[in-house]
Amino acid sequence: MRKKIVAGNWKMNMTYEEGQKLTSEIVNMFKDEAVKNVQVVLNPPFPHIYPVKKLIGDTEGIFMGSQNCSDKESGAFTGEVSAKILASFGVQFVILGHSERREYFKESNELLSAKVKQALAHGLTPIFCCGESLEIRNAGTHEANVKFQLTESLFDLSPEDFSKVVIAYEPIWAIGTGKTATSDQAQEMHLALRRHIASKYGKEIADDTSILYGGSANPGNAKELFSKPDVDGGLIGGASLKSRDFIDIVKSF
Ligand code: PEP
């Protein structure tokens, strides 16, 4: 059975105090409201990892994530953070290939392939993002586009390694825009991705792969999105910065 996952992407937001407050509220609501059967992943900026991890403590169901890692193992790469270092601080998940990294930091499919391998080598679960621009959607090549992103960055993994990867489908036109994909659009793309995975790794691995939706998800639309058979959760940006909204999304299955 594939896992249901809701991951919060804080992006470059939250001071130390704000991050501590947000995490405490999320942990308390998660416990008080007895949330079950969903994995929650918090992905703050790097400096928050140690103190946020401390607040999560041994809370079952809440996991520590980060927003990026290096494609290199270690060495003279000033400003970079390796998967090895993250793992040593108790990080369990890492977002890779977010469209903001692809666009602003020119991360290529090839670079992302190396990052995924670093993450897996150190026991981190990659949350691998794919998604099309509005231009590509309007041209009608959105399905081919996301399949290509998976093929190029993931399809040289062994079946065993691939089965450790989580996919996030994030149409770029829906990220931070308030313009959510309809649940039918999300379902169509998630199914296409699952079939593409099955064509390479077989039905069993494809059926077990968690595919999250990302793009202006909020407490008002999460239930409808998560009701679709191939939508296994969400990668949440803006709404992950408000504890009540985030927990309401987590409870939307
Ligand atoms: C994201 O950054 O992954 C994201 C989905 O952002 P938002 O929810 O703000 O659209």
Side-chain angles (χ1 to χ4, degrees), residues 152-186:
E152 291 290 295
S153 296
L154 301 178
F155 279 12
D156 64 341
L157 295 175
S158 67
E160 195 195 340
D161 274 347
F162 184 86
S163 62
K164 296 172 186 155
V165 176
V166 170
I167 308 291
Y169 168 61
E170 299 208 303
I172 298 167
W173 46 271
I175 297 179
T177 58
K179 192 174 185 297
T180 322
T182 66
S183 58
D184 286 340
Q185 284 174 322

Side-chain angles (χ1 to χ4, degrees), residues 52-160:
V52 165
K53 172 91 182 149
K54 275 190 134 176
L55 285 179
I56 294 172
D58 58 3
T59 310
E60 211 173 301
I62 304 189
F63 296 82
M64 194 66 239
S66 77
Q67 299 172 22
N68 187 23
C69 74
S70 173
D71 60 316
K72 305 288 195 302
E73 173 83 12
S74 65
F77 301 101
T78 302
E80 288 288 277
V81 179
S82 69
K84 187 177 179 179
I85 294 170
L86 293 170
S88 76
F89 279 90
V91 173
Q92 295 141 306
F93 287 78
V94 57
I95 298 171
L96 292 174
H98 192 283
S99 59
E100 289 152 16
R101 303 255 5 135
R102 290 178 189 264
E103 185 181 349
Y104 306 137
F105 303 95
K106 306 290 170 232
E107 294 198 356
S108 65
N109 291 327
E110 192 186 0
L111 178 82
L112 292 169
S113 168
K115 290 190 175 200
V116 166
K117 291 189 179 76
Q118 271 299 314
L120 291 169
H122 295 286
L124 303 187
T125 299
I127 300 176
F128 180 81
C129 304
C130 61
E132 80 285 356
S133 64
L134 188 58
E135 200 182 7
I136 289 174
R137 176 155 284 262
N138 288 340
T141 53
H142 41 293
E143 225 181 270
N145 178 261
V146 293
K147 286 181 184 172
F148 185 72
Q149 289 175 321
L150 258 64
T151 304
E152 291 290 295
S153 296
L154 301 178
F155 279 12
D156 64 341
L157 295 175
S158 67
E160 195 195 340

Side-chain angles (χ1 to χ4, degrees), residues 9 11 98 100 170 174-178 213-217 235-239:
N9 175 13
K11 310 196 188 195
H98 192 283
E100 289 152 16
E170 299 208 303
I175 297 179
T177 58
Y213 168 79
S216 298
L235 179 54
I236 317 297

